[in-house]
Amino acid sequence: MIGKMESWGNWLLCGELGQGGFGKVHHWRHLSGGQEIATKHIKDLNSLSADQQIKLSERWNMEYNWTREFQQLPHIVAGVILDELDPAFRDFLNGRHIAKLPVIVLEYCNGGDVRKRLQSPENANGLVEFEVREILAALRLAVHFLHSKCGVCHRDLKPDNIVIQRGADGKKVYKLTDFGLARGTPEKTILQSVVGTRNYFAPEVVVSGIYNKAVDYWSLGIIAYEVAIGELPFIPHQTPKNIIMSLEKKPREVIAITEDHADPSRFINQKHLPNEHHLSRPWAEKFTEWLRLPLDSDQKRRGQLASDEVQSVPVVFSALDKLLQIKVLTIFSVNSSKLLEYAVTDDMTKERLIGVIARDTEMAIEDVYLVLPTFHPHKKITPSTKPIDLYVEEWRDTSKDTRKWTKRSTPPVMVYVFQGKNTKYSVSEPVFTTLMLKCNTPKFKSEERWLLKRLALDMHCVISKEQAKVEMFLSGINEHALVLEDEIIASPFKDMINKQLLTTASVFDQLQGLRTEAKTESPSIQLNDSAEWEKLKASYEVIIDSANKLLAHFDSCLRQARNKVNVTKQLLQDYGEKDIFHVNGFQRQYLRNGGSISLGEFREAAKEFGKTYQKLHIDGPLVKEAKMIDTLHLHFAAGRSAVPTALEKFEHIKSDISKLLLKMLKSAAFPPMVSPIPISVAPPAMLQLSDEMSRLTMGTGHPSSDPFDSLTTNSVIAEAERISKMLQTEMEVDPA
């Protein structure tokens, strides 16, 4: 037995990370330096025969040597060489070991392994697409390095041997470990021992025992399917004999084999992925095509090299590289409550994107209205915007695990789309699997554990997707309210109206004061324009009243928009964070530790789901709030469209004031000749009015045909002075 482990010197034993059939892994942390390591120990040799002990010792030494060679590789766990770091601690560990074998010391990866990620209830239907891609990218680099640079075949690829290193920023790096079964890659296919883990080793390992490095490609395909779907692809509940027989007869295009729900002894070849996963549609289609390469039962085809590559790269890897380069733009159509996903490229146009959105949502092209989430790096959609500009690399990871770890609220999609006009709302019905429909009928009976487990997974997928859809809908209308609020605040219309109000009111008051002064101080000036003045006053009052109502309209829109921001934010919290479809409760009750659900429990859960769905989508406030925001947006747009008319009215009243001013100047130039009284220069009020008129004219920012617009302040004053001097000259009387 392995000696009892305890802290030693500056090294604190933090605990056990895991154990297998013959070994344990411990976690250590250096108290002063903070370095963390993992140590791998053999826990028992007594249960093995002499030959088995020799074989285990050979593999142990091989793994020990490999790990010491793997230093600073991004996707392979590095060995830690204590010979230099702390030889005394090395001696302590080896002194507690058995069979005179060295303890294997590795870098510590703090995020657990992929198996634990798959065992998390939230990942019962597979990991999110981002994580699937990251795992495949890491495995592709690690396995190709082992094959091409080290000449090593791993032979035991599985989720348990992919560990996770999580950085301070929350990002995960996936690393391959456990080289206990690794061995040199033969140049040719040769007879070898049967090693690996059931459900992950290739058919030829058991059928003939003659295999090569292509066995790692098969394991890669199995892992890819499992992390994407949450289950193994080839009837994992069956006996090894049934599995191998089915794989030998499997056509090339088949990527999974499942039991028949009606007759478990009958197996069905599957050429496509099931719908219960978290992959985007365009990527899932290409992923399915790629799976046919590593899951080809013919190891010669599986291991063939790509003919179009400069270097010798297996087709499995070259095709995977292309798959991982696909960029998928995620869009949520709020009006149809539908998730849209499109592969975008650098040469794709915005018109093309809007066209496919209109096609898939049954909107008119001119009705497609795109809204970017808050803090979108593109900030604003312009005529030159391309779909690739809307793709946000950092937003691909939508897992709850990452959001919890990083404490970042990543938007569920990259773009929201609304129906700009003729708005209608519809709710896409949840998609139930054939198994769910069959099990929901009272006549159906079954106690098959694999079937009830599959039933729980199907139900989990349905309620999870509905919960996600609700959160996307509420996030969408919240963003719509935020965009509307920003649009109202940023609009120049209030400033334009206010400026016209101030200048027009000022010049009107000046004109009114001038008329009063003319009547009281210059009775010789006859103002024969009473009808025109009364008409001007009435028009002025109407324009001022309309402008004030327009300002009140914009203020009201802003208040309502802010209210809708708060209301939708609260709804998002109530219906999103509070888990209206009870996904978390379902996970705890039916999915922990590979659990299942009875038919009675399933039918009750389906009934409760139906009630919640009815209450939410038909009787609930979600669509009601969305429609109110749509109406508010149209209300604001109506006010915005009224601004040009209001400005035009200001132009008209300005023109009328100008005409009346010129008429007054003319009256002042030719008053009735009652007595030869000299006329002084134009009164100050006239000059002030001229100045106000000039500011009014120059501040509109809009073209006008008003004849007064051609006069500057100086020219108006000069004209008034010229008329005054002319009056003085013509009306002056020589002294007696």
Side-chain angles (χ1 to χ4, degrees):
M1 294 291 292
I2 187 172
K4 181 181 178 181
M5 299 304 297
E6 57 188 20
S7 298
W8 183 88
N10 282 326
W11 289 95
L12 174 67
L13 178 61
C14 301
E16 184 180 298
L17 295 175
Q19 60 177 301
F22 304 104
K24 284 185 178 181
V25 180
H26 289 150
H27 173 206
W28 301 81
R29 183 173 68 251
H30 197 273
L31 293 176
S32 57
Q35 182 179 4
E36 295 180 275
I37 61 173
T39 57
K40 187 173 181 179
H41 313 255
I42 294 176
K43 67 177 182 179
D44 181 22
L45 282 176
N46 296 330
S47 61
L48 301 178
S49 66
D51 289 342
Q52 288 175 325
Q53 289 187 29
I54 293 173
K55 180 63 71 175
L56 178 61
S57 297
E58 290 176 354
R59 290 174 177 169
W60 188 270
N61 283 318
M62 187 175 293
E63 181 177 6
Y64 175 79
N65 292 328
W66 282 127
T67 55
R68 290 168 68 89
E69 289 190 23
F70 298 145
Q71 298 292 314
Q72 298 180 342
L73 297 174
H75 297 295
I76 296 179
V77 173
V80 177
I81 303 177
L82 287 177
D83 307 34
E84 303 171 358
L85 180 65
D86 194 336
F89 182 50
R90 174 204 61 192
D91 295 340
F92 164 77
L93 293 173
N94 290 337
R96 296 295 184 97
H97 208 204
I98 60 176
K100 297 182 180 180
L101 293 172
V103 169
I104 296 175
V105 186
L106 305 166
E107 65 171 318
Y108 169 67
C109 293
N110 59 6
D113 57 47
V114 173
R115 172 64 64 203
K116 290 180 180 177
R117 292 286 298 137
L118 288 170
Q119 289 172 342
S120 175
E122 71 179 64
N123 299 322
N125 298 110
L127 305 176
V128 297
E129 182 178 309
F130 172 80
E131 197 162 1
V132 174
R133 288 185 182 225
E134 292 291 293
I135 291 170
L136 292 182
L139 282 180
R140 182 258 187 263
L141 294 174
V143 173
H144 186 56
F145 178 83
L146 292 176
H147 289 182
S148 62
K149 302 297 182 182
C150 305
V152 174
C153 181
H154 191 281
R155 302 199 301 175
D156 196 22
L157 296 177
K158 56 185 177 182
D160 316 63
N161 290 339
I162 307 168
V163 294
I164 304 168
Q165 178 66 52
R166 193 186 286 272
D169 58 357
K171 291 184 178 180
K172 297 190 285 284
V173 177
Y174 301 89
K175 300 192 175 192
L176 185 60
T177 188
D178 197 346
F179 297 91
L181 297 181
R183 61 163 296 158
T185 303
E187 293 296 326
K188 298 180 180 180
T189 302
I190 62 173
L191 181 64
Q192 302 183 72
S193 56
V194 177
V195 295
T197 302
R198 178 187 168 184
N199 294 319
Y200 294 94
F201 53 62
E204 62 267 20
V205 172
V206 175
V207 174
S208 65
I210 299 175
Y211 58 89
N212 58 18
K213 62 185 178 183
V215 295
D216 282 348
Y217 306 152
W218 176 273
S219 301
L220 174 63
I222 297 292
I223 293 170
Y225 187 97
E226 185 178 15
V227 296
I229 303 302
E231 279 198 316
L232 290 161
F234 300 116
I235 45 177
H237 319 100
Q238 290 293 322
T239 63
K241 179 181 178 181
N242 284 343
I243 295 174
I244 294 300
M245 289 177 60
S246 298
L247 291 179
E248 284 188 288
K249 297 182 292 184
K250 179 183 80 69
R252 185 178 183 180
E253 66 273 13
V254 169
I255 61 171
I257 302 174
T258 59
E259 293 98 335
D260 188 341
H261 301 149
D263 180 8
S265 64
R266 178 175 174 268
F267 307 139
I268 303 174
N269 288 332
Q270 305 290 352
K271 298 180 181 179
H272 303 282
L273 293 174
N275 293 321
E276 294 70 49
H277 56 69
H278 303 295
L279 308 181
S280 63
R281 279 179 287 274
W283 199 77
E285 291 175 3
K286 297 298 182 181
F287 178 65
T288 300
E289 294 176 8
W290 174 79
L291 278 175
R292 293 168 185 150
L293 297 174
L295 296 181
D296 191 338
S297 295
D298 186 333
Q299 62 175 318
K300 291 183 179 179
R301 287 198 303 257
R302 191 192 320 141
Q304 68 184 4
L305 299 178
S307 58
D308 58 342
E309 297 289 332
V310 176
Q311 297 179 339
S312 297
V313 178
V315 173
V316 168
F317 290 154
S318 63
L320 179 57
D321 291 339
K322 295 176 182 177
L323 176 67
L324 296 176
Q325 290 172 5
I326 296 174
K327 295 180 178 180
V328 178
L329 179 65
T330 55
I331 302 172
F332 186 73
S333 171
V334 176
N335 292 81
S336 57
S337 194
K338 185 177 182 181
L339 179 62
L340 308 173
E341 297 152 325
Y342 304 109
V344 293
T345 57
D346 292 339
D347 58 353
M348 186 178 186
T349 64
K350 185 176 68 175
E351 290 71 25
R352 169 61 180 160
L353 175 64
I354 291 178
V356 294
I357 291 174
R359 177 198 67 197
D360 294 340
T361 58
E362 298 182 355
M363 292 185 196
I365 289 179
E366 59 271 17
D367 287 350
V368 175
Y369 174 59
L370 303 180
V371 171
L372 299 181
T374 306
F375 305 122
H376 194 292
H378 191 61
K379 299 188 183 303
K380 185 179 181 180
I381 297 176
T382 66
S384 61
T385 296
K386 290 185 176 182
I388 197 70
D389 299 329
L390 307 179
Y391 173 80
V392 185
E393 184 77 16
E394 294 76 16
W395 291 358
R396 292 188 304 138
D397 189 356
T398 57
S399 66
K400 291 183 179 179
D401 172 71
T402 298
R403 278 187 282 176
K404 180 180 179 181
W405 186 276
T406 60
K407 297 181 180 179
R408 288 199 308 263
S409 181
T410 302
V413 292
M414 300 171 189
V415 182
Y416 297 99
V417 61
F418 293 83
Q419 190 172 9
K421 299 178 181 178
N422 306 313
T423 56
K424 297 178 182 178
Y425 285 86
S426 61
V427 180
S428 56
E429 295 290 333
V431 179
F432 299 109
T433 65
T434 303
L435 178 62
M436 292 177 68
L437 295 174
K438 182 177 292 186
C439 291
N440 204 35
T441 58
K443 293 182 179 180
F444 183 80
K445 307 290 183 183
S446 178
E447 295 183 1
E448 291 279 355
R449 180 169 175 78
W450 68 266
L451 185 146
L452 298 178
K453 181 180 179 182
R454 180 67 256 172
L455 182 61
L457 294 176
D458 288 358
M459 186 67 194
H460 175 256
C461 187
V462 169
I463 62 176
S464 296
K465 287 189 174 182
E466 285 302 316
Q467 180 69 36
K469 193 183 296 183
V470 168
E471 293 178 20
M472 284 187 277
F473 184 95
L474 288 170
S475 296
I477 62 174
N478 178 251
E479 292 291 355
H480 190 187
L482 285 167
V483 166
L484 178 56
E485 180 188 24
D486 290 342
E487 187 177 341
I488 296 172
I489 292 173
S491 67
F493 307 122
K494 279 190 63 177
D495 289 342
M496 295 167 67
I497 296 296
N498 272 320
K499 186 174 183 180
Q500 291 299 312
L501 272 173
L502 290 172
T503 54
T504 304
S506 177
V507 75
F508 181 84
D509 291 343
Q510 291 285 343
L511 177 60
Q512 192 172 38
L514 178 62
R515 292 179 64 84
T516 301
E517 184 176 343
K519 289 180 179 180
T520 57
E521 297 184 9
S522 303
S524 60
I525 299 178
Q526 299 296 318
L527 301 178
N528 299 319
D529 56 3
S530 297
E532 294 176 66
W533 171 244
E534 292 301 323
K535 183 179 179 181
L536 177 64
K537 284 200 302 181
S539 298
Y540 170 77
E541 290 173 358
V542 169
I543 291 172
I544 296 300
D545 182 62
S546 298
N548 284 325
K549 287 181 178 178
L550 196 53
L551 290 175
H553 171 86
F554 289 133
D555 288 337
S556 174
C557 287
L558 182 58
R559 285 194 303 272
Q560 292 182 67
R562 285 173 171 165
N563 173 260
K564 292 306 171 189
V565 169
N566 294 329
V567 169
T568 53
K569 184 178 180 181
Q570 185 62 47
L571 283 173
L572 184 58
Q573 182 177 352
D574 292 343
Y575 288 91
E577 297 177 9
K578 292 184 180 179
D579 190 20
I580 188 172
F581 285 105
H582 308 295
V583 177
N584 294 329
F586 188 91
Q587 291 171 352
R588 288 192 299 269
Q589 189 168 357
Y590 302 116
L591 298 181
R592 289 196 182 280
N593 303 317
S596 60
I597 189 171
S598 70
L599 290 176
E601 291 170 330
F602 162 72
R603 289 163 187 162
E604 184 62 29
K607 183 179 178 181
E608 288 301 315
F609 169 77
K611 289 180 180 178
T612 303
Y613 185 88
Q614 168 82 17
K615 179 181 178 182
L616 184 67
H617 293 296
I618 300 177
D619 304 326
L622 304 191
V623 172
K624 178 182 177 182
E625 285 297 328
K627 288 181 177 179
M628 291 174 70
I629 296 172
D630 290 340
T631 301
L632 180 58
H633 207 155
L634 292 174
H635 195 50
F636 169 68
R640 182 177 57 195
S641 64
V643 171
T645 302
L647 295 178
E648 186 178 354
K649 289 181 179 179
F650 277 116
E651 295 289 340
H652 288 321
I653 196 69
K654 181 179 62 177
S655 176
D656 292 343
I657 292 174
S658 174
K659 291 175 182 177
L660 202 56
L661 170 63
L662 293 175
K663 189 171 183 179
M664 288 177 63
L665 289 173
K666 185 176 180 181
S667 298
F670 303 102
M673 299 296 293
V674 177
S675 62
I677 302 175
I679 304 297
S680 63
V681 296
M686 182 70 78
L687 298 181
Q688 294 172 16
L689 177 62
S690 298
D691 185 59
E692 290 295 334
M693 289 297 296
S694 177
R695 290 197 296 110
L696 174 65
T697 303
M698 298 174 66
T700 62
H702 291 270
S704 171
S705 59
D706 189 344
F708 189 74
D709 286 349
S710 62
L711 301 177
T712 64
T713 301
N714 292 333
S715 64
V716 172
I717 296 174
E719 177 67 9
E721 290 177 341
R722 186 186 68 78
I723 294 173
S724 297
K725 289 180 180 179
M726 180 186 67
L727 291 174
Q728 281 183 314
T729 301
E730 291 183 354
M731 301 179 67
E732 190 173 41
V733 179
D734 291 335

